[in-house]
Amino acid sequence: MSKPVHPFQLRSALSAQVPARVDRASASSSGAAAGALFGTLADEPSAEAVPLIPLMPLSSPEQAALLDAWQARLASGLHGLCFSPYLDGQGPGSQLGEAQIRARLASISPHTRWVRSFSCTDGNELIPRIAKELGLRTLVGAWLGTDADINEREIAAVIELALAGHADIVAVGNEVLLREDLSEDELLAFIHRVKAALPGVQVGYVDAYYLFELYPRVTAACDVLLANCYPFWEGCAQEQALGHMQAMYSRTLAVAGGKPVLISETGWPHIGSAFGAALPSEAAAIRYFLDSCEWAEQAQIPLFYFSAFDESWKVGSEGDVGAYWGVWDALGQLKYS
């Protein structure tokens, strides 16, 4: 039996498909529904932008100021973090234990109000309960893919967790339409099934921001839209990244019909190869973190930063940047401190 695939296991391959996907989407939709990615998004943000920190070589005083701002932001607390508890040598399909999950969550719990989990199998189902015990709120994901048996286990487990009071928001699938793992009708059947089982619980779906334009029936079925917004993976330079991300959010908001829109993932790696004009570096990662978190807080937009920890297994699927998206490193040490 195949194991669930993590959201970023296919990131590099999917990034290479973006131009073809945009061509297909543009041909099948009116106006700019799909949009032309790689820097041609609408430039009107949905809220006033906070001042950007310009990208430049850092002097010692500038570096110190940036690190002070990083530490102050963490001390004041984040809305949410995307959380996977994998250690070196582990990855999707590894069986996770309670002690490991509890230790990882204990590291981040003083710095965030919410955690987002990706799966409800292989020990990941323990995350929401432990998070609740630590005083955190939870966005609990059911991982859906091409394996029907795993899909059934995920759906049954997320319903059980929510009925037990461990899920504040339920995400039925992550980037399923982007990966083309399920048809729209198959995904809708799962969403409607979970909503019927969980009256009173907000149920949504996670995907790249522009997919909510292309699949209006999915948008209509959700109580909340969960949009992944990555300027890095659209080759955007860090200097323009906040405005780019704001435009991504605005496009989802425009089709939401008044429903809440959450930024379910965004982030920037600090090590690795460039992707177009997007350059990984410590300074760029800190600046993007500060810019995006400050803007989201001022605009009162719930944002889940990707990710809590570096995950070394991702190098094989995303290239060298894959392992370096965390606020904490793979050993659980807070970066830049």
Side-chain angles (χ1 to χ4, degrees):
M1 179 182 296
S2 62
K3 295 292 185 182
V5 182
H6 189 278
F8 291 91
Q9 208 157 353
L10 300 178
R11 177 67 70 189
S12 295
L14 290 170
S15 297
Q17 296 174 21
V18 164
R21 289 177 183 273
V22 169
D23 289 345
R24 290 209 311 266
S26 298
S28 62
S29 59
S30 61
L37 305 182
F38 296 99
T40 60
L41 287 167
D43 58 5
E44 294 85 8
S46 61
E48 184 177 355
V50 298
L52 291 172
I53 304 170
L55 184 61
M56 62 180 68
L58 295 178
S59 66
S60 293
E62 289 170 332
Q63 185 176 32
L66 199 59
L67 294 178
D68 286 346
W70 162 267
Q71 292 170 357
R73 166 47 52 188
L74 285 169
S76 67
L78 309 177
H79 173 81
L81 284 166
C82 296
F83 176 78
S84 293
Y86 300 121
L87 304 177
D88 279 349
Q90 296 179 327
S94 298
Q95 188 64 40
L96 302 169
E98 179 163 346
Q100 176 178 326
I101 293 169
R102 188 175 295 277
R104 287 297 216 193
L105 281 172
S107 295
I108 70 173
S109 61
H111 305 285
T112 187
R113 296 181 290 279
W114 287 70
V115 291
R116 177 189 166 206
S117 59
F118 290 89
S119 170
C120 292
T121 60
D122 295 329
N124 289 287
E125 67 274 14
L126 302 173
I127 295 171
R129 173 180 59 81
I130 299 170
K132 285 289 188 178
E133 291 172 2
L134 293 173
L136 299 173
R137 302 192 72 184
T138 56
L139 168 52
V140 181
W143 181 261
L144 299 178
T146 58
D147 190 305
D149 291 338
I150 291 176
N151 290 347
E152 286 300 318
R153 289 168 49 209
E154 290 276 349
I155 292 297
V158 79
I159 291 172
E160 181 179 354
L161 284 166
L163 289 174
H166 300 319
D168 294 292
I169 301 173
V170 168
V172 182
N174 184 91
E175 298 186 342
V176 173
L177 297 173
L178 180 68
R179 295 191 310 273
E180 301 179 351
D181 281 353
L182 297 175
S183 70
E184 181 181 15
D185 285 339
E186 289 171 325
L187 174 60
L188 282 167
F190 282 122
I191 293 172
H192 290 310
R193 177 175 158 190
V194 172
K195 288 181 66 176
L198 300 175
V201 177
Q202 281 192 314
V203 176
Y205 168 65
V206 179
D207 216 322
Y209 64 97
Y210 63 91
L211 270 296
F212 293 101
E213 298 170 328
L214 301 181
Y215 291 93
R217 289 195 297 149
V218 172
T219 300
C222 293
D223 301 319
V224 55
L225 306 185
L226 307 168
N228 290 350
C229 302
Y230 280 102
F232 182 89
W233 287 119
E234 295 192 2
C236 179
Q238 188 272 323
E239 300 97 318
Q240 288 83 44
L242 178 61
H244 200 76
M245 190 262 282
Q246 290 169 331
M248 295 171 169
Y249 176 82
S250 294
R251 284 175 52 178
T252 308
L253 193 66
V255 298
K259 297 176 183 179
V261 178
L262 280 61
I263 297 174
S264 43
E265 295 177 28
T266 196
W268 200 279
H270 80 284
I271 293 175
S273 300
F275 191 84
L279 305 177
S281 74
E282 290 187 356
I286 295 172
R287 287 172 173 133
Y288 184 73
F289 173 84
L290 293 172
D291 289 343
S292 59
C293 292
E294 290 288 346
W295 167 72
E297 182 177 274
Q298 291 184 14
Q300 298 184 322
I301 295 169
L303 182 149
F304 289 80
Y305 203 81
F306 190 91
S307 62
F309 297 97
D310 285 347
E311 299 174 56
S312 59
W313 69 270
K314 291 170 55 185
V315 169
S317 56
E318 288 185 45
D320 54 7
V321 298
Y324 301 108
W325 292 79
V327 176
W328 283 258
D329 67 20
L331 298 177
Q333 300 299 310
L334 186 61
K335 292 180 181 177
Y336 323 125
S337 297

